[in-house]
Amino acid sequence: MKSIPGPQDSIELPCFTFNPKEGIDNPGLVVTDDFDRNPLPILYQLRRVEGQNFGFYLQNTTDKQGLEIKDIDPWSPAERSGLTEGDKVLEVNDEYVVNMDFFKVARKIQSCGLHLFLLVLKRDDYDQAVCTGVDLQMLATASKGGPCSRPRLCHINRHQHCGLGMTLISGQGLKGHCVLSVGAGSPAEKAGVISGDRLVWMNGVITSNLTDVSINKSLKKSTDSVTMLLIDSESESSYIRRKIPILPVLAGHCSLPHSAKTMHLVKGPEGYGFLLRQEKLPHSQQIGNILRDVDKGSPAEEAGMEDGDLLLAVNGEQVEFMEHDDIVKRVRKCSERVSFTTISMQGRHLFRALGISPLFFHDEFIHQDDRVLGQTGIQTSQPQRFGDAL
C-alpha cells in the first residue's frame, strides 16, 4: 500500500522554464496550434438578373498559385454574397477546378447562367494549405461531409407502348419527397434514370412544392417527352445539409434533345453564303442574331448551318446579345476562316427553362483552343470579367 506523504515529507516539484519566444516547456500544457488544423473552404452562391454582371474578375496568378478573385464591384452579386478579393477558387458549380485550364474555367463561368456557386479558400488559408502539403481536392470533398455526386439531367422520350417506363413511389401526399422507380430496359433507364432517384425538377418546374398526385398528373400530361433533374438520396442529403439548392447549373451529366453546335467555315468566292439578321426572339422581348437564307452549295450549308438558328458565339466568343454591327466587324476581321456556334430555337427555349446558357454543356466551346481566346482578349495574365446577359 502506498503511503500518503505528510507535511514532514519533502516533495520535489517539477521545474518549468519560460522562454518568451517558446513559451512554457511543459508538455502537459501544449495546446494544438491553430496552424495544425485544416483550413475550411467557404461556399458562396452568386445570383444575378439578366443584363447584370456577377461583378468580379478571375485571374490566373503569375506564380500559378491558384485562380484568384480580383476587383469586386460595389453592390454586385459577388459583393453581396460575401466574396472578397484574394479568395482562391477551389470549385465552380461543385466541380473541382484547381488544376483545370484557366480558359476552360472561364468558359464554365461565362456559360453558367444566372446562378454561380464558388467554393473558395481565403488567401492566407490557401497559402497555409499549400505550404503544409494539404490535398486541396480532399479538402474540398471533406467540406461536403464526404463524397457527393452531382445531379443529372435526363431527357426521356415516351414509348408508344410502355410510356416513360417509370413510376413515382408514393410519398403519402408529402411535398418534396419524389422518389422514382424504373423498369428494366425502359426509356427512363436508357435516359439515365436509376431506381431510387429523387426528382428535383421537371419540365421547368421545381417539384419540392408539389405532391406526388400533382406530379403524376404532370407526367401523364407530358406528350412525347419529359426533361428531369435527378439526384441520388445520399447526395441530396449532402446538398440539403450544406443548404445548397439543387439546380440544373450543378448537373454533372445530361442527356438533352437539343445542343449547341460549332461550325468551321472557309470563305468561298462569294463569301460564306448566308445572311445574319437581327430579329425579335419568339416568346421574348429580346433581340437575337438569326442565321437566314443559307445558299445551296455554300460553305455555310456544307458546314451544317440551318436557317432560323440563333447565333451564340463567333470564334469562341459569346455574342448572343452583342450588337449586330459589332458581330459583323468580328467576322470580317477573321479574313478567310471563322467558326460559328449556334442552336435551334427549340434548344434555346429548353436551356432558358433550365436557367443556363446553351453553351454550358457544349464541349467544343468549353475546350476552345487557347489561340482563339487570345484573339478575343482573354489572357491568363490578366483578369477576366464574368456575367454577360443571357
Side-chain angles (χ1 to χ4, degrees), residues 155-176:
H155 183 81
I156 311 160
N157 291 310
R158 186 181 296 276
H159 190 273
Q160 182 178 359
H161 301 294
C162 63
L164 298 173
M166 63 182 181
T167 56
L168 187 68
I169 300 176
S170 177
Q172 297 180 344
L174 297 176
K175 294 182 179 180

Side-chain angles (χ1 to χ4, degrees), residues 14-18 24-27 29:
C15 180
F16 300 118
T17 59
F18 177 76
I24 299 175
D25 63 350
N26 178 9
L29 295 180

Side-chain angles (χ1 to χ4, degrees), residues 36 45 99 125 131 134 142 161 172 189 208 225 265 291 294 321 347-349 353 383:
D36 291 336
Q45 180 182 2
N99 300 318
D125 285 343
C131 288
V134 174
H161 301 294
Q172 297 180 344
E189 185 183 61
S208 59
S225 61
L265 282 68
L291 308 174
V294 180
F321 292 98
R348 177 184 179 273
H349 178 72

Side-chain angles (χ1 to χ4, degrees), residues 151 200-201 206 229-231 235-236 239-240 244-248 250:
V200 179
W201 180 98
I206 297 174
L229 182 67
L230 308 168
I231 193 168
S235 299
E236 181 190 40
Y239 279 97
I240 293 173
I244 303 176
I246 304 173
L247 301 173
L250 296 169

Side-chain angles (χ1 to χ4, degrees), residues 40-47 54 56 69 72 77-94 115-123 125 143 242-245 249-250:
L40 297 175
I42 304 172
L43 180 70
Y44 294 104
Q45 180 182 2
L46 284 67
R47 303 177 187 177
F54 283 121
F56 72 94
I69 301 295
I72 295 176
E79 184 185 64
R80 291 199 305 270
S81 73
L83 205 63
T84 58
E85 185 166 339
D87 287 346
K88 302 283 191 171
V89 179
L90 301 185
E91 291 186 347
V92 173
N93 294 328
D94 239 15
H115 295 265
L116 174 63
F117 296 86
L118 296 176
L119 184 70
V120 308
L121 272 178
K122 296 301 177 183
R123 180 158 38 192
D125 285 343
S143 71
R242 291 182 287 151
K243 299 180 180 178
I244 303 176
V249 72
L250 296 169

